[in-house]
Amino acid sequence: IYCHDTFGLGHISRAMKISKAIRSAKKCSIYIITGSGGTAVFDPPSGVDFVKLPTVSRVYGGKNPYRPATDNLEATVVFEIRKMLLLSFFKQFNPDIVIVDHSPRGIMGELEPSLDFLVKEKRKILFVTRDILDTPAVIVKKLKKNDNYTTLQKYYNKLIIAGDLEYYDAIK
């Protein structure tokens, strides 16, 4: 499960819930791939582990929307490292199914080489997002801006919307 969390613990919490549900139905290995520094607060169940990417934080108003947690490397270098780590992990682990949370291309497109590899290997790629993100107009603008519609169609086998139909029906 690729979980790009750069702020808070919501995405990792959802990834943990998904992992527990999968593990309760099938004995398999699950890795949650994240750059979050907050993984230590979680106690993953048997068969679930974390793969830690270098941490980046969201920055508002700067020339680069993300800032590395360390001062010794530029953001572009950190994203190249993250991109290489992701691709190396997927090539070595070669999972049957990959779940991507919230960001179809990954932060700054870091997932694209991995997605190309996974499609060539005929792996199932699922995209999960929460049901309430913003107003419909804002969501459509963001999806178009980052070319996410094309990315979703090119790489993903299924779209999963996480939420409670009692409160909000995202399909409508």
Side-chain angles (χ1 to χ4, degrees):
I1 300 175
Y2 169 83
C3 181
H4 87 290
D5 238 331
T6 59
F7 181 78
L9 299 172
H11 295 283
I12 294 176
S13 295
R14 182 170 43 253
M16 288 293 291
K17 288 177 185 173
I18 292 169
S19 297
K20 287 176 183 175
I22 293 169
R23 284 287 298 174
S24 70
K26 181 177 172 104
K27 186 176 181 180
C28 60
S29 297
I30 299 173
Y31 290 93
I32 299 172
I33 308 167
T34 183
S36 173
T39 57
V41 301
F42 292 96
D43 183 24
S46 174
V48 178
D49 202 354
F50 292 102
V51 173
K52 178 72 173 69
L53 300 172
T55 301
V56 293
S57 299
R58 188 99 165 117
V59 177
Y60 297 94
K63 72 174 187 171
N64 191 327
Y66 295 96
R67 177 181 45 82
T70 57
D71 295 332
N72 62 333
L73 295 174
E74 294 291 323
T76 54
V77 174
V78 171
F79 278 107
E80 281 303 311
I81 292 168
R82 288 170 59 106
K83 190 184 298 185
M84 290 185 325
L85 289 170
L86 285 161
L87 183 57
S88 178
F89 172 80
F90 288 122
K91 283 183 173 181
Q92 295 303 311
F93 184 59
N94 203 11
D96 295 321
I97 298 171
V98 174
I99 299 172
V100 175
D101 178 59
H102 184 69
S103 184
R105 298 173 53 244
I107 301 173
M108 305 294 288
E110 69 186 1
L111 262 182
E112 287 176 337
S114 296
L115 292 170
D116 285 331
F117 167 77
L118 293 163
V119 167
K120 284 179 191 166
E121 294 295 309
K122 299 185 179 356
R123 300 302 180 219
K124 297 268 188 234
I125 309 171
L126 313 177
F127 180 70
V128 65
T129 189
R130 65 182 185 262
D131 56 354
I132 302 173
L133 296 168
D134 210 316
T135 65
V138 170
I139 294 168
V140 168
K141 184 178 176 182
K142 285 181 185 178
L143 287 171
K144 285 181 179 177
K145 176 184 168 198
N146 296 323
D147 205 23
N148 286 325
Y149 282 125
T150 303
T151 301
L152 289 167
Q153 291 172 341
K154 181 178 178 181
Y155 296 113
Y156 290 90
N157 302 96
K158 295 251 187 238
L159 169 64
I160 301 166
I161 300 174
D164 188 336
L165 288 173
E166 185 177 320
Y167 296 103
Y168 182 75
D169 186 349
I171 303 302
K172 289 181 183 177

Short mmCIF file of all heavy atoms in Angstrom, two decimals, residues 28-49:
data_model
loop_
_atom_site.label_atom_id
_atom_site.label_comp_id
_atom_site.label_asym_id
_atom_site.label_seq_id
_atom_site.Cartn_x
_atom_site.Cartn_y
_atom_site.Cartn_z
N CYS A 28 -1.18 -13.14 3.88
CA CYS A 28 -0.29 -12.57 2.87
C CYS A 28 0.62 -11.54 3.53
O CYS A 28 0.38 -11.14 4.67
CB CYS A 28 -1.08 -11.94 1.74
SG CYS A 28 -2.17 -10.60 2.29
N SER A 29 1.64 -11.12 2.83
CA SER A 29 2.52 -10.07 3.32
C SER A 29 2.05 -8.73 2.79
O SER A 29 1.77 -8.60 1.59
CB SER A 29 3.96 -10.31 2.85
OG SER A 29 4.45 -11.51 3.39
N ILE A 30 1.97 -7.75 3.68
CA ILE A 30 1.54 -6.42 3.29
C ILE A 30 2.59 -5.42 3.77
O ILE A 30 3.00 -5.46 4.93
CB ILE A 30 0.17 -6.06 3.89
CG1 ILE A 30 -0.90 -7.03 3.39
CG2 ILE A 30 -0.20 -4.61 3.57
CD1 ILE A 30 -2.25 -6.88 4.06
N TYR A 31 2.98 -4.55 2.86
CA TYR A 31 3.90 -3.47 3.22
C TYR A 31 3.20 -2.15 2.98
O TYR A 31 2.60 -1.95 1.93
CB TYR A 31 5.17 -3.54 2.38
CG TYR A 31 6.04 -4.71 2.74
CD1 TYR A 31 5.93 -5.91 2.06
CD2 TYR A 31 6.97 -4.62 3.77
CE1 TYR A 31 6.71 -7.00 2.39
CE2 TYR A 31 7.76 -5.71 4.11
CZ TYR A 31 7.63 -6.89 3.42
OH TYR A 31 8.41 -7.96 3.76
N ILE A 32 3.27 -1.27 3.96
CA ILE A 32 2.76 0.08 3.82
C ILE A 32 3.97 0.97 3.54
O ILE A 32 4.87 1.09 4.38
CB ILE A 32 2.01 0.54 5.08
CG1 ILE A 32 0.80 -0.37 5.33
CG2 ILE A 32 1.58 2.01 4.94
CD1 ILE A 32 0.11 -0.14 6.66
N ILE A 33 4.00 1.54 2.35
CA ILE A 33 5.13 2.36 1.92
C ILE A 33 4.77 3.82 2.16
O ILE A 33 3.79 4.32 1.59
CB ILE A 33 5.44 2.13 0.43
CG1 ILE A 33 5.60 0.64 0.15
CG2 ILE A 33 6.67 2.92 0.00
CD1 ILE A 33 5.60 0.29 -1.32
N THR A 34 5.57 4.49 2.98
CA THR A 34 5.23 5.85 3.37
C THR A 34 6.47 6.66 3.69
O THR A 34 7.51 6.11 4.03
CB THR A 34 4.27 5.85 4.59
OG1 THR A 34 3.90 7.20 4.88
CG2 THR A 34 4.90 5.21 5.80
N GLY A 35 6.32 7.96 3.61
CA GLY A 35 7.38 8.86 4.04
C GLY A 35 7.06 9.48 5.38
O GLY A 35 7.82 10.30 5.90
N SER A 36 5.97 9.11 5.97
CA SER A 36 5.55 9.68 7.25
C SER A 36 6.51 9.31 8.36
O SER A 36 6.96 8.16 8.45
CB SER A 36 4.15 9.19 7.61
OG SER A 36 3.81 9.62 8.91
N GLY A 37 6.77 10.27 9.21
CA GLY A 37 7.57 10.00 10.40
C GLY A 37 6.73 9.44 11.53
O GLY A 37 7.25 9.14 12.60
N GLY A 38 5.43 9.27 11.32
CA GLY A 38 4.53 8.84 12.38
C GLY A 38 4.27 7.35 12.47
O GLY A 38 3.36 6.92 13.19
N THR A 39 5.03 6.54 11.78
CA THR A 39 4.75 5.10 11.77
C THR A 39 4.97 4.45 13.13
O THR A 39 4.35 3.42 13.42
CB THR A 39 5.60 4.37 10.71
OG1 THR A 39 6.98 4.62 10.98
CG2 THR A 39 5.25 4.83 9.31
N ALA A 40 5.80 5.04 13.96
CA ALA A 40 6.11 4.44 15.27
C ALA A 40 4.90 4.37 16.20
O ALA A 40 4.89 3.57 17.13
CB ALA A 40 7.24 5.21 15.95
N VAL A 41 3.88 5.18 15.95
CA VAL A 41 2.70 5.17 16.82
C VAL A 41 1.76 4.00 16.51
O VAL A 41 0.82 3.76 17.25
CB VAL A 41 1.91 6.50 16.77
CG1 VAL A 41 2.78 7.67 17.18
CG2 VAL A 41 1.30 6.74 15.40
N PHE A 42 2.04 3.28 15.42
CA PHE A 42 1.19 2.16 15.03
C PHE A 42 1.83 0.83 15.39
O PHE A 42 3.04 0.69 15.36
CB PHE A 42 0.91 2.19 13.52
CG PHE A 42 0.06 3.35 13.10
CD1 PHE A 42 0.64 4.51 12.63
CD2 PHE A 42 -1.31 3.28 13.20
CE1 PHE A 42 -0.14 5.59 12.25
CE2 PHE A 42 -2.11 4.35 12.82
CZ PHE A 42 -1.52 5.51 12.35
N ASP A 43 0.99 -0.11 15.73
CA ASP A 43 1.44 -1.46 16.01
C ASP A 43 0.84 -2.36 14.94
O ASP A 43 -0.29 -2.85 15.09
CB ASP A 43 0.96 -1.88 17.41
CG ASP A 43 1.45 -3.26 17.80
OD1 ASP A 43 2.48 -3.71 17.25
OD2 ASP A 43 0.80 -3.89 18.66
N PRO A 44 1.57 -2.56 13.85
CA PRO A 44 0.98 -3.34 12.74
C PRO A 44 0.75 -4.79 13.14
O PRO A 44 1.54 -5.36 13.90
CB PRO A 44 2.01 -3.22 11.63
CG PRO A 44 3.28 -2.83 12.28
CD PRO A 44 2.92 -2.12 13.55
N PRO A 45 -0.32 -5.38 12.63
CA PRO A 45 -0.58 -6.80 12.92
C PRO A 45 0.46 -7.69 12.24
O PRO A 45 1.21 -7.24 11.38
CB PRO A 45 -1.98 -7.02 12.33
CG PRO A 45 -2.14 -5.98 11.28
CD PRO A 45 -1.32 -4.80 11.74
N SER A 46 0.46 -8.93 12.61
CA SER A 46 1.36 -9.91 12.01
C SER A 46 1.19 -9.89 10.50
O SER A 46 0.07 -9.83 9.99
CB SER A 46 1.01 -11.30 12.55
OG SER A 46 1.76 -12.27 11.89
N GLY A 47 2.32 -9.90 9.78
CA GLY A 47 2.27 -9.91 8.32
C GLY A 47 2.22 -8.54 7.68
O GLY A 47 2.20 -8.42 6.46
N VAL A 48 2.19 -7.48 8.50
CA VAL A 48 2.15 -6.11 7.98
C VAL A 48 3.39 -5.38 8.49
O VAL A 48 3.73 -5.47 9.67
CB VAL A 48 0.87 -5.37 8.44
CG1 VAL A 48 0.87 -3.93 7.94
CG2 VAL A 48 -0.37 -6.11 7.97
N ASP A 49 4.05 -4.67 7.58
CA ASP A 49 5.23 -3.91 7.97
C ASP A 49 5.27 -2.61 7.18
O ASP A 49 4.50 -2.40 6.24
CB ASP A 49 6.49 -4.75 7.68
CG ASP A 49 7.70 -4.30 8.50
OD1 ASP A 49 7.61 -3.28 9.21
OD2 ASP A 49 8.73 -4.97 8.41
#
